[in-house]
Amino acid sequence: MQNQGVQNNVPKLEEKETTSQTLEKNKETSPSSQFNSIFGNPNNAANNTLEDKVVGGISLLVNGSPITLYQIQEEQEKSKVSKAQARDRLIAERIKNQEIERLKIHVDDDKLDQEMAMMAQQQGMDLDHFKQMLMAEGHYKLYRDQLKEHLEMQELLRNILLTNVDTSSETKMREYYNKHKEQFSIPTEIETVRYTSTNQEDLERAMADPNLEIPGVSKANEKIEMKTLNPQIAQVFISHEQGSFTPVMNGGGGQFITFYIKEKKGKNEVSFSQAKQFIAQKLVEESKDKILEEHFEKLRVKSRIVMIRE
């Protein structure tokens, strides 16, 4: 009986030894650190599927924010660029988004609705109808998300330009004014032909051939006094030459309008003090590409970019 008891205990001893060995093996192969638990254990790479490697694998960190191999591959396919170019694009995008967060730039729903209302007006409809159209097409959420990104980026660029462009130098502005005097001489009145239609495509056909009579497009001679226009509309007429059309504008009530500029008459000189704001905007416009490029390059140099895997 005693021998039988010893024999009965043998399997238990062997089982205990096997369990110990298994634990030891697991200890060697299991993730042993937070790094492995996040980024994956190279020892287990052979057991991962291709999808696991691509979707789950982090390629690099930008100030602690991960960019995955899958995102790089997705950008490659979407933009038809090399892997290195896709990676650079994603790094730049991540840095810009981090800068938006740092500057606390936020576009709320009211601002989005205002922008959408203006776009709706340009298409001859009100905001509700515009939203309904997007919903019917299944694009509403995507449209608002993309619009929000666009407005946030605009605000970011404005912030960067305001802090980097020196428009306070009166000498610079005076030099610009003297060098571009023609920009500060505006007509007192403009002889035009007003083209009106409820169909924008018909209007564009009429613009392509002014001698062609297009059904649904009405024409009327109109004399416009520049002093009666708001600055934005006045700039449209100033910036277009005689013998050309203005861009198509929304005239309200479902009407689209454009003006053929026949002749500009008279001349008013805009003083330097009146032109200062315009000149400041021009100086920003002329140097903005260089400023933005330098700004984001500085941000990239300062950023902590850690490569995990190629």
Side-chain angles (χ1 to χ4, degrees):
M1 292 290 293
Q2 191 174 359
N3 290 339
Q4 188 178 355
V6 172
Q7 288 173 354
N8 287 341
N9 285 335
V10 171
K12 291 182 181 178
L13 289 172
E14 289 176 352
E15 187 177 324
K16 184 176 180 182
E17 185 179 1
T18 303
T19 303
S20 176
Q21 289 171 344
T22 303
L23 288 172
E24 189 63 27
K25 288 177 183 176
N26 287 344
K27 184 178 178 183
E28 291 172 3
T29 58
S30 296
S32 58
S33 67
Q34 187 179 9
F35 180 91
N36 285 341
S37 68
I38 296 173
F39 302 116
N41 187 348
N43 295 332
N44 292 332
N47 298 323
N48 291 341
T49 64
L50 178 61
E51 185 178 358
D52 289 334
K53 291 178 185 177
V54 175
V55 177
I58 291 177
S59 175
L60 68 148
L61 299 174
V62 182
N63 297 319
S65 178
I67 292 175
T68 66
L69 292 170
Y70 177 73
Q71 288 172 315
I72 294 171
Q73 180 182 314
E74 197 175 39
E75 179 64 26
Q76 272 185 272
E77 293 171 358
K78 183 181 77 174
S79 302
K80 309 297 182 192
V81 294
S82 69
K83 187 174 184 178
Q85 288 172 319
R87 186 165 51 233
D88 283 345
R89 287 185 180 203
L90 291 173
I91 290 172
E93 182 184 335
R94 194 60 52 88
I95 289 171
K96 286 177 184 177
N97 288 337
Q98 289 171 354
E99 192 71 349
I100 286 171
E101 288 182 19
R102 186 184 72 81
L103 295 171
K104 294 181 172 58
I105 294 171
H106 175 66
V107 176
D108 59 22
D109 286 341
D110 288 343
K111 177 63 175 174
L112 285 174
D113 281 342
Q114 287 173 14
E115 289 292 324
M116 288 181 71
M118 286 192 288
M119 292 175 185
Q121 189 179 25
Q122 289 171 6
Q123 298 189 37
M125 61 180 80
D126 60 28
L127 178 59
D128 287 339
H129 284 106
F130 188 52
K131 285 183 175 181
Q132 287 168 12
M133 180 190 75
L134 291 171
M135 287 176 184
E137 294 173 352
H139 298 153
Y140 179 73
K141 186 179 184 306
L142 177 64
Y143 184 90
R144 279 183 78 89
D145 288 346
Q146 290 179 341
L147 179 60
K148 183 176 182 180
E149 286 179 16
H150 173 71
L151 294 175
E152 286 176 343
M153 186 56 65
Q154 274 191 331
E155 184 62 19
L156 172 61
L157 299 183
R158 191 184 73 83
N159 271 271
I160 293 168
L161 292 172
L162 285 176
T163 55
N164 284 275
V165 179
D166 178 19
T167 58
S168 60
S169 169
E170 187 133 332
T171 303
K172 279 186 181 179
M173 289 196 282
R174 178 71 71 176
E175 284 175 1
Y176 185 95
Y177 179 79
N178 292 332
K179 191 175 179 180
H180 302 89
K181 276 290 183 72
E182 74 283 354
Q183 293 183 11
F184 307 105
S185 175
I186 62 174
T188 55
E189 62 181 32
I190 300 179
E191 295 281 354
T192 72
V193 179
R194 175 199 283 257
Y195 285 63
T196 310
S197 178
T198 56
N199 187 303
Q200 187 170 346
E201 289 182 4
D202 288 344
L203 199 57
E204 288 169 353
R205 284 172 58 209
M207 292 166 67
D209 187 353
N211 296 319
L212 194 64
E213 293 296 328
I214 305 293
V217 177
S218 62
K219 303 177 187 178
N221 291 322
E222 186 170 338
K223 183 186 292 185
I224 297 173
E225 292 188 16
M226 295 299 289
K227 65 182 181 182
T228 64
L229 302 178
N230 69 49
Q232 289 81 7
I233 298 297
Q235 188 59 39
V236 171
F237 287 97
I238 293 167
S239 61
H240 286 77
E241 300 293 330
Q242 287 185 185
S244 68
F245 282 93
T246 67
V248 174
M249 296 175 276
N250 192 306
Q255 296 285 322
F256 296 96
I257 59 171
T258 182
F259 293 87
Y260 177 76
I261 300 173
K262 290 166 58 178
E263 186 181 0
K264 296 182 179 182
K265 295 181 176 180
K267 186 181 286 188
N268 268 339
E269 297 295 335
V270 178
S271 69
F272 173 68
S273 60
Q274 291 173 313
K276 272 186 176 181
Q277 186 176 357
F278 173 80
I279 295 171
Q281 290 173 346
K282 279 290 183 182
L283 290 175
V284 168
E285 189 69 27
E286 285 184 354
S287 55
K288 74 174 183 179
D289 289 341
K290 183 182 178 184
I291 290 167
L292 294 174
E293 184 181 343
E294 289 176 352
H295 181 82
F296 285 115
E297 184 56 34
K298 286 177 185 175
L299 285 179
R300 179 163 180 153
V301 169
K302 290 178 182 176
S303 296
R304 188 168 179 268
I305 300 172
V306 180
M307 295 299 301
I308 306 299
R309 53 167 72 86
E310 295 286 337

